Amino acid sequence: MTNKKKSIYVVINGRKPGIYSKWFGAGETAEQVEGFPDAIYKGFFTREEAVNWLKEFSPETLLKFAPNLIEYLDEKDNSSPTLAETIVELLNSEKVVMFTDGCTNANSKAGGYGVVLKYKGSVKEIAGGFRETTNNRMEIMACIAGLQTLKKKSDVVIFSDSQYVVNGISKGWAKKWKAQNWMRNDKERAENPDLWAQLLELCNQHSVEFRWVKGHNGTKENERCDQLAREAARKGNLPADEALENPKPLNHASLFSGMEP
């Protein structure tokens, strides 16, 4: 018998898929999987064990449930040890630096989003939530809310821990889905077309670059976004995510009349 404790937990299907270092605690593993239908998760003693377990799943499965974990298949770490220096360099170049995050409440279907914007010497925080939504919708909504605050055409770098969001824009998935009348392929509709349409329109109004940052990795701006999102999701009297609760037949004319932050 050993007293060695597991130090890494992988959540593939849960409220917020990702890599966690604790079982109990605010926002940690237990909150993501307890009471979640068909949760897929496992604890490990080493990162190598966790990565090997992830490799047992197909990329298609991870893309469906946990796109933010795909990077681990190649054992890549896209978070930079000089991220703070990178932010300073971007700000010195007069770029808007934006960190975003979204979440859903562990005890309900409510969700929230958080944004931290930096420009020169200024910092602005934004948060909001909805009484019933999804994690991916909140990840997209965070980007929308941040970009909507910009009063003029800007050069923006958005840091997100959501591969779904980063790849959706950077790899052209959202543009492709839009061109295909919001179909992922011949049989499957793309999810969240109302929000993708809004985000694409905002990206056309600005010069926007998306960069992935590993979540729960000690990046203070990302951690602050997570805190803002969770606080927003716990508030009372949250508005309805109308596009999700009362979906309308899909047509291009209605795509830009979705929810407001």
Side-chain angles (χ1 to χ4, degrees):
M1 176 175 282
T2 178
N3 291 325
K4 186 178 179 182
K5 294 182 178 180
K6 293 177 180 178
S7 60
I8 184 168
Y9 297 86
V10 181
V11 178
I12 290 179
N13 190 25
R15 294 180 180 88
K16 187 170 184 179
I19 305 291
Y20 298 86
S21 60
K22 298 178 182 178
W23 177 257
F24 292 112
E28 295 294 343
T29 314
E31 284 194 5
Q32 312 310 321
V33 301
E34 289 184 345
F36 189 90
D38 302 318
I40 302 174
Y41 62 95
K42 193 172 182 179
F44 302 91
F45 296 108
T46 67
R47 181 180 181 279
E48 182 180 2
E49 293 174 340
V51 171
N52 287 337
W53 184 66
L54 275 176
K55 289 180 178 180
E56 296 178 8
F57 297 87
S58 69
E60 291 77 14
T61 297
L62 293 181
L63 181 60
K64 179 179 179 180
F65 293 107
N68 58 316
L69 297 181
I70 290 178
E71 291 290 325
Y72 288 89
L73 292 181
D74 295 325
E75 295 190 291
K76 293 179 180 178
D77 184 352
N78 285 357
S79 61
S80 171
T82 59
L83 181 56
E85 295 177 356
T86 299
I87 293 172
V88 171
E89 181 179 346
L90 292 171
L91 293 173
N92 288 339
S93 300
E94 298 192 352
K95 294 181 182 289
V96 176
V97 175
M98 185 185 307
F99 280 81
T100 65
D101 200 11
C103 74
T104 49
N105 196 302
N107 300 314
S108 69
K109 295 181 180 180
Y113 60 85
V115 186
V116 174
L117 294 111
K118 293 188 172 185
Y119 181 64
K120 295 183 177 179
S122 300
V123 178
K124 182 180 180 64
E125 295 183 346
I126 305 168
F130 296 88
R131 68 190 183 196
E132 181 176 341
T133 188
T134 68
N135 186 78
N136 280 341
R137 287 183 69 80
M138 293 299 91
E139 295 281 7
I140 304 173
M141 190 62 215
C143 300
I144 292 172
L147 290 172
Q148 284 179 331
T149 67
L150 302 179
K151 298 179 180 179
K152 63 180 181 179
K153 182 177 176 63
S154 304
D155 289 332
V156 188
V157 179
I158 298 179
F159 290 91
S160 169
D161 62 10
S162 169
Q163 287 281 0
Y164 176 68
V165 170
V166 173
N167 290 337
I169 298 296
S170 299
K171 294 188 177 182
W173 295 348
K175 282 187 177 181
K176 179 181 178 181
W177 298 334
K178 181 180 179 181
Q180 296 174 168
N181 196 25
W182 299 106
M183 296 292 292
R184 292 182 63 243
N185 50 49
D186 292 339
K187 298 180 180 180
E188 297 179 309
R189 284 203 172 275
E191 296 181 348
N192 310 311
D194 59 310
L195 297 186
W196 282 121
Q198 291 184 66
L199 184 54
L200 285 172
E201 177 64 19
L202 287 165
C203 287
N204 287 335
Q205 296 173 19
H206 303 278
S207 175
V208 185
E209 177 189 352
F210 283 78
R211 299 189 188 184
W212 180 73
V213 59
K214 186 188 293 185
H216 302 284
N217 197 43
T219 303
K220 65 178 182 179
E221 294 87 355
N222 180 257
E223 298 293 345
R224 177 56 179 160
C225 288
D226 180 74
Q227 181 183 9
L228 289 169
R230 295 188 182 282
E231 290 175 352
R234 289 194 292 265
K235 290 184 177 180
N237 300 317
L238 290 172
D241 184 344
E242 293 288 351
L244 186 67
E245 292 191 32
N246 302 297
K248 298 179 180 179
L250 183 64
N251 63 75
H252 290 292
S254 67
L255 289 177
F256 296 96
S257 59
M259 57 187 204
E260 295 292 334

